[in-house]
Amino acid sequence: MTSRPHESLDPDARPQRRTFTAEFKARILDEYESAPDAAARGAILRRERLYGSHLLDWRKARDAGAAAGLTDRRQSAARAAKKAENAELSRLQRENARLQAELNKTQTALSIMGKAHA
């Protein structure tokens, strides 16, 4: 068995991407903005294991669309609805292809029977 050097034997070695709720983002933004000085703001970032860019993005989203900007588009209800819609569309396309093939087979059989009868 050969192993590549970048592969790990531990299946949990790949880190999971963290997701943050809109409530968490709003709470951290409020706490960060009410901090008295840079040392306190840095302590909040270290405690929550966040980067300043997180807060910049969250603040920009909040200012652009209030709480709607803080929701994660990857986890939103619209995405779930779109995924369900796509699944239904692909199911209907498969069913349509199956029925088209069955119709072609039936038409071919009727054509052959018509020619044989004539």
Side-chain angles (χ1 to χ4, degrees):
M1 177 175 140
T2 61
S3 177
R4 295 185 187 137
H6 65 281
E7 289 181 344
S8 174
L9 299 177
D10 183 14
D12 295 328
R14 186 175 183 165
Q16 292 290 339
R17 181 180 294 266
R18 294 190 303 166
T19 57
F20 306 102
T21 64
E23 295 80 23
F24 176 81
K25 292 176 184 180
R27 182 179 60 83
I28 295 298
L29 279 173
D30 291 340
E31 184 179 353
Y32 184 83
E33 290 169 350
S34 66
D37 58 357
R41 289 191 295 271
I44 293 168
L45 292 176
R46 285 188 300 276
R47 182 189 72 216
E48 300 295 338
R49 295 185 347 231
L50 297 172
Y51 294 101
S53 61
H54 285 121
L55 297 178
L56 292 174
D57 293 341
W58 297 349
R59 188 178 297 131
K60 198 181 306 181
R62 180 194 60 194
D63 294 345
L70 293 176
T71 58
D72 189 357
R73 289 175 309 187
R74 294 171 295 171
Q75 305 296 327
S76 69
R79 183 177 173 99
K82 192 172 190 179
K83 187 175 180 180
E85 184 178 298
N86 286 340
E88 178 71 8
L89 177 63
S90 64
R91 184 190 68 78
L92 290 173
Q93 287 173 338
R94 286 191 308 271
E95 183 179 359
N96 190 13
R98 181 185 59 81
L99 291 173
Q100 286 289 338
E102 189 177 323
L103 176 63
N104 287 339
K105 191 186 320 181
T106 303
Q107 286 177 340
T108 303
L110 287 175
S111 173
I112 292 171
M113 291 301 290
K115 289 177 184 176
H117 189 280

